Amino acid sequence: MVSVQEIANLANVSQSTVSKVLNNYPDVSEKTRKKVLEIAKQLGYVPNASAISLVKKKSSIIGVIYEVTSGFGNLFFSAILESFRSNAENNGYTIILLSQNEEKKKEYWMHCVSHNIESVFIISTKDQSVIETELKNHGIATLTLDPLYASSSPISTDNFEAMLLSLHYLYDLGHRAIGFIQGSLHSYVGKERLNAYLHFVKEKNLPSLFIPHIDNALYSLQQGYDTTSTLLNQFDHLDAIACCSDVLAMGAIYCLQDRGYHVPNDISIMGFDDLRISEITRPRLSTIRQDSITIGKIACETLLSMNSSNQSVPPILIKASLVVRNSTKKKESSIISTLYEFQ
Amino acid sequence: MVSVQEIANLANVSQSTVSKVLNNYPDVSEKTRKKVLEIAKQLGYVPNASAISLVKKKSSIIGVIYEVTSGFGNLFFSAILESFRSNAENNGYTIILLSQNEEKKKEYWMHCVSHNIESVFIISTKDQSVIETELKNHGIATLTLDPLYASSSPISTDNFEAMLLSLHYLYDLGHRAIGFIQGSLHSYVGKERLNAYLHFVKEKNLPSLFIPHIDNALYSLQQGYDTTSTLLNQFDHLDAIACCSDVLAMGAIYCLQDRGYHVPNDISIMGFDDLRISEITRPRLSTIRQDSITIGKIACETLLSMNSSNQSVPPILIKASLVVRNSTKKKESSIISTLYEFQ
DNA sequence: TTGAAAGCGCTAACAG
DNA sequence: CTGTTAGCGCTTTCAA
């Protein structure tokens, strides 16, 4: 490993001069700068991150807690991680995957302290409120994606607006009897989506077609199926159903098909997330796309701007977008459909 | 941050003694050891990883290149990463996510050299042969998951045996006209699966029902659909189709359904991978499960046992297992089905 | 069994 | 503009 010392020797200057060149200090003559740079390049100099971290008391490492229970959501989370990583990289930061060591009882914050890490991005399907607090207590800034709790610095899709987008789209298609399949009732994210539905039906003066007490915490196929079944039993008529996830929507479609309905001819179905599966279902799923690229980017920028004295930021909400595929359809008014029948 | 120095002062011993205690050296009296340990605990001592890495010229960091083009396979890769991470963790290692910095022209190996990283696990859907060589040239050991090329130290499912497992299962179900939908013809993994099919039909003296020139490099739904279509046009009769991925298998099912076949009553379909989607298709997919837990574990152990002088290992092959769901069925002999018709 | 001293590779005052 | 010096937190001879 080539050191600053070696470069200094060959260039006939001192270590500090080399250091200044390498760190782009202005107080070095052009001539010296060139010479040093050339020799450094020739020798294939690579700075020693440990030494720098040691002396600067600050590393160029961002911690990431990535604990995602295996599931479809993974694809969304890993897309965000990738976007986050690439942004961190472009800012000269490296990503370390944080974890707890059960055996050695090493906590997350210890890893951070040990590696001089100042900020941590939390991507988790579990409640990490304790860890978040612990990290903050140790002077480490955190940002939490889709927190399940009232995080002091959360980032997520603007779920309220996103669900409204879904509902307005169905409304504009002419649907008025719009059912709703909620996700988790205990997560912030899930509550926001439900609130949007409640707000919407009130505003538009529509019937509220959903089953209040059901908690689809798993966002699973079966939960989608069962909730749809209940919905169908409870309410006479449904034009459309807005679901809180793509997988729930698939469950809804299966249930409707089993009961002899055609999607989208009889009922329109909206998903949420735009996972890859929404491309391979039959019919392909109209849904709401969460913008993983932007979330990763903003998360990174925010975290880099935070520091131990400025550890919290107001909640960050990222805009989602509508993706129209084949599970939704304009409602044909009865008059028109009657006309058609006569043709 | 508490330092060794501080502990030494409070314990009335020297730094070196503290260091010896902390590193479990034997030549310290029990009394001193206890005292030091207690004070360290009281003070909440956390070792400075940079300082240790600097002086030992070796970090406890493993690099991971994780570059997976967005797709269903992601779930498999991320499961492996998770298993790998947890094993590394239990061995006292931390994971760093490696990457190239386009802007600053920083290469993977530079990250490694800079952080004193000795080994790298490559999880990538791209050809990383150049990078693998580059890393090895810099004295960094690598292990590559499912390499697309002839890697010097690959780890993967035993794809030959795994596909054989699939084929034998179909055979035991009574199927004799067994079609095959290959994946990529240019990857090692894809070739192994094809070879298994070729080997199998020859051994059992069965008709070879596959389309040689098709390269389903994307393993996509559409490719599965189209290949099935060609298969159906080309061959009179098919009892079953063994596919090289779950997504290809889904494409096959859609195609068969569109042509009026019932899966599994008319044709049995085998997937490969056991992605989560295989649980939510209709019918649910019988498939081959790749053992991500074991792969991650063995990968980690192997990498930790490698070092700059011992940089290559023979190919590591992990056993896969059969998962039976609803897309496969015992073949009813014509006599029996005829009998049924008379009932 | 303990401690003094040197040094890992680098940066940052500060003096010249 | 350049160099001297000290020191980041730790380990490791080597001497006591």
Side-chain angles (χ1 to χ4, degrees):
Chain A
M1 191 166 180
V2 184
S3 70
V4 165
Q5 185 64 260
E6 293 177 55
I7 300 174
N9 291 152
L10 283 173
N12 280 318
V13 293
S14 72
Q15 275 194 60
S16 45
T17 302
V18 174
S19 175
K20 280 170 191 166
V21 172
L22 262 21
N23 290 289
N24 286 316
Y25 279 61
D27 58 342
V28 184
S29 74
E30 230 8 78
K31 199 180 144 200
T32 312
R33 181 181 303 278
K34 260 195 172 162
K35 188 166 59 177
V36 168
L37 249 23
E38 195 175 319
I39 293 176
K41 194 176 174 185
Q42 239 167 45
L43 261 43
Y45 171 76
V46 178
N48 184 319
S50 304
I52 295 172
S53 163
L54 185 58
V55 66
K56 287 202 177 166
K57 286 167 175 281
K58 146 170 196 355
S59 70
S60 295
I61 299 178
I62 299 189
V64 172
I65 293 179
Y66 187 76
E67 286 188 352
V68 175
T69 50
S70 168
F72 295 101
N74 274 4
L75 291 176
F76 173 58
F77 289 127
S78 77
I80 288 177
L81 175 59
E82 173 50 27
S83 164
F84 183 81
R85 192 198 55 66
S86 111
N87 274 278
E89 177 61 27
N90 286 337
N91 285 288
Y93 277 77
T94 300
I95 302 292
I96 245 181
L97 250 32
L98 258 27
S99 49
Q100 263 172 323
N101 189 326
E102 306 292 341
E103 287 178 27
K104 299 185 181 168
K105 299 206 170 187
K106 217 176 158 184
E107 311 281 345
Y108 290 98
W109 66 267
M110 289 198 191
H111 272 104
C112 296
V113 171
S114 183
H115 288 278
N116 278 316
I117 291 171
E118 293 175 326
S119 55
V120 171
F121 187 30
I122 302 176
I123 305 176
S124 178
T125 47
K126 293 186 275 183
D127 182 331
Q128 304 285 24
S129 50
V130 177
I131 284 152
E132 186 181 324
T133 309
E134 218 169 55
L135 288 171
K136 288 208 198 281
N137 287 344
H138 287 272
I140 298 149
T142 64
L143 190 64
T144 308
L145 175 68
D146 283 358
L148 299 172
Y149 49 94
S151 164
S152 68
S153 42
I155 182 167
S156 70
T157 290
D158 187 339
N159 285 282
F160 189 90
E161 283 301 326
M163 185 49 80
L164 242 31
L165 196 61
S166 174
L167 295 164
H168 274 289
Y169 168 65
L170 290 172
Y171 188 89
D172 292 344
L173 246 29
H175 303 303
R176 291 299 176 267
I178 302 176
F180 179 76
I181 297 183
Q182 65 268 39
S184 165
L185 253 32
H186 296 93
S187 75
Y188 173 76
V189 160
K191 277 185 244 171
E192 282 292 290
R193 294 178 194 172
L194 174 56
N195 287 341
Y197 178 73
L198 265 19
H199 173 90
F200 183 80
V201 293
K202 194 173 170 194
E203 186 196 75
K204 298 287 189 188
N205 200 23
L206 298 178
S208 172
L209 308 174
F210 87 110
I211 319 292
H213 65 275
I214 294 182
D215 187 355
N216 293 325
L218 267 36
Y219 291 84
S220 69
L221 193 76
Q222 192 60 46
Q223 289 181 332
Y225 193 100
D226 295 342
T227 307
T228 306
S229 199
T230 312
L231 235 30
L232 253 22
N233 295 340
Q234 201 116 327
F235 303 111
D236 288 347
H237 179 68
L238 286 167
D239 288 332
I241 304 177
C243 305
C244 275
S245 87
D246 288 342
V247 180
L248 286 172
M250 271 194 80
I253 290 174
Y254 282 164
C255 177
L256 289 165
Q257 287 173 346
D258 285 352
R259 295 230 188 172
Y261 291 89
H262 184 276
V263 178
N265 288 354
D266 301 325
I267 297 189
S268 284
I269 298 292
M270 277 295 292
F272 198 105
D273 282 340
D274 195 31
L275 303 182
R276 300 281 300 208
I277 51 159
S278 58
E279 295 249 29
I280 64 172
T281 55
R282 283 190 146 188
R284 290 163 64 240
L285 219 51
S286 296
T287 189
I288 299 296
R289 174 178 298 163
Q290 299 204 57
D291 185 352
S292 50
I293 305 281
T294 305
I295 293 176
K297 183 168 179 284
I298 304 283
C300 181
E301 287 168 3
T302 307
L303 229 24
L304 291 183
S305 75
M306 287 163 86
N307 54 52
S308 41
S309 57
N310 163 32
Q311 275 192 47
S312 291
V313 291
I316 301 171
L317 297 176
I318 309 294
K319 237 181 120 145
S321 58
L322 181 70
V323 178
V324 176
R325 295 202 185 89
N326 315 112
S327 66
T328 47
K329 199 176 166 185
K330 205 166 163 63
K331 174 161 183 170
E332 298 181 15
S333 79
S334 356
I335 296 168
I336 291 177
S337 51
T338 310
L339 278 175
Y340 277 135
E341 279 167 24
F342 280 102
Q343 287 182 338
Chain B
M1 193 167 178
V2 184
S3 71
V4 165
Q5 185 64 260
E6 293 175 53
I7 300 175
N9 291 153
L10 283 174
N12 279 318
V13 293
S14 72
Q15 275 192 60
S16 43
T17 302
V18 174
S19 175
K20 280 170 191 165
V21 172
L22 262 20
N23 291 287
N24 285 316
Y25 278 61
D27 59 341
V28 183
S29 73
E30 234 2 84
K31 199 181 142 199
T32 311
R33 182 182 303 280
K34 261 196 171 161
K35 188 166 60 178
V36 168
L37 249 23
E38 195 175 318
I39 294 177
K41 194 175 173 186
Q42 240 167 46
L43 261 44
Y45 171 74
V46 177
N48 184 320
S50 304
I52 295 173
S53 163
L54 184 59
V55 64
K56 288 202 177 167
K57 286 169 176 281
K58 149 172 194 350
S59 71
S60 296
I61 299 178
I62 299 188
V64 172
I65 294 179
Y66 188 76
E67 287 189 350
V68 175
T69 49
S70 167
F72 296 100
N74 273 4
L75 290 175
F76 173 59
F77 289 127
S78 77
I80 288 177
L81 175 59
E82 173 52 24
S83 164
F84 183 82
R85 191 197 56 66
S86 111
N87 274 279
E89 177 60 26
N90 287 336
N91 284 289
Y93 278 76
T94 301
I95 302 292
I96 247 182
L97 252 30
L98 258 25
S99 49
Q100 265 173 321
N101 189 324
E102 307 292 341
E103 287 177 26
K104 299 183 183 169
K105 299 209 174 186
K106 218 177 158 184
E107 311 282 345
Y108 290 98
W109 66 267
M110 289 197 191
H111 272 105
C112 296
V113 172
S114 183
H115 287 278
N116 278 315
I117 291 171
E118 292 174 326
S119 55
V120 171
F121 187 30
I122 302 177
I123 304 175
S124 177
T125 46
K126 292 188 274 180
D127 182 330
Q128 304 284 24
S129 49
V130 176
I131 283 151
E132 186 180 325
T133 309
E134 218 169 56
L135 288 170
K136 287 208 197 281
N137 287 344
H138 286 273
I140 298 149
T142 63
L143 189 64
T144 308
L145 174 69
D146 283 358
L148 300 173
Y149 49 95
S151 164
S152 68
S153 42
I155 183 167
S156 70
T157 291
D158 187 340
N159 285 283
F160 189 89
E161 283 302 327
M163 185 48 81
L164 241 33
L165 197 62
S166 174
L167 294 165
H168 274 289
Y169 168 66
L170 290 173
Y171 188 89
D172 293 344
L173 247 29
H175 303 303
R176 292 299 176 266
I178 302 175
F180 180 75
I181 297 182
Q182 66 268 37
S184 165
L185 253 31
H186 294 92
S187 75
Y188 172 75
V189 161
K191 277 186 243 172
E192 282 292 291
R193 295 179 194 172
L194 174 56
N195 286 340
Y197 179 73
L198 265 18
H199 172 89
F200 182 81
V201 292
K202 196 173 169 193
E203 185 195 75
K204 297 288 188 188
N205 200 22
L206 297 179
S208 171
L209 308 174
F210 86 109
I211 318 293
H213 66 276
I214 293 182
D215 187 354
N216 293 325
L218 267 36
Y219 292 82
S220 68
L221 193 77
Q222 192 60 46
Q223 290 181 332
Y225 193 99
D226 294 342
T227 306
T228 306
S229 198
T230 310
L231 235 29
L232 254 22
N233 295 339
Q234 202 116 329
F235 303 111
D236 288 347
H237 180 67
L238 287 167
D239 287 332
I241 304 177
C243 305
C244 275
S245 88
D246 289 341
V247 181
L248 286 172
M250 272 196 79
I253 291 174
Y254 283 164
C255 177
L256 289 165
Q257 287 173 346
D258 285 353
R259 294 229 189 173
Y261 291 89
H262 185 274
V263 178
N265 289 353
D266 302 324
I267 297 188
S268 284
I269 297 292
M270 279 294 292
F272 198 106
D273 283 339
D274 195 30
L275 302 183
R276 300 282 300 207
I277 51 159
S278 58
E279 295 250 30
I280 64 171
T281 56
R282 284 192 146 187
R284 289 163 63 240
L285 219 49
S286 296
T287 188
I288 299 295
R289 175 178 298 163
Q290 299 204 59
D291 186 352
S292 50
I293 306 282
T294 305
I295 293 177
K297 182 167 179 285
I298 304 281
C300 181
E301 287 169 3
T302 307
L303 229 24
L304 291 182
S305 75
M306 288 163 85
N307 54 51
S308 42
S309 56
N310 163 29
Q311 275 193 43
S312 289
V313 291
I316 301 171
L317 296 177
I318 309 294
K319 239 182 118 149
S321 57
L322 181 68
V323 179
V324 176
R325 294 202 184 88
N326 315 113
S327 65
T328 48
K329 200 179 170 185
K330 207 165 159 66
K331 175 162 184 171
E332 300 180 14
S333 79
S334 357
I335 296 169
I336 292 176
S337 52
T338 308
L339 278 175
Y340 277 137
E341 278 167 21
F342 280 101
Q343 288 182 339

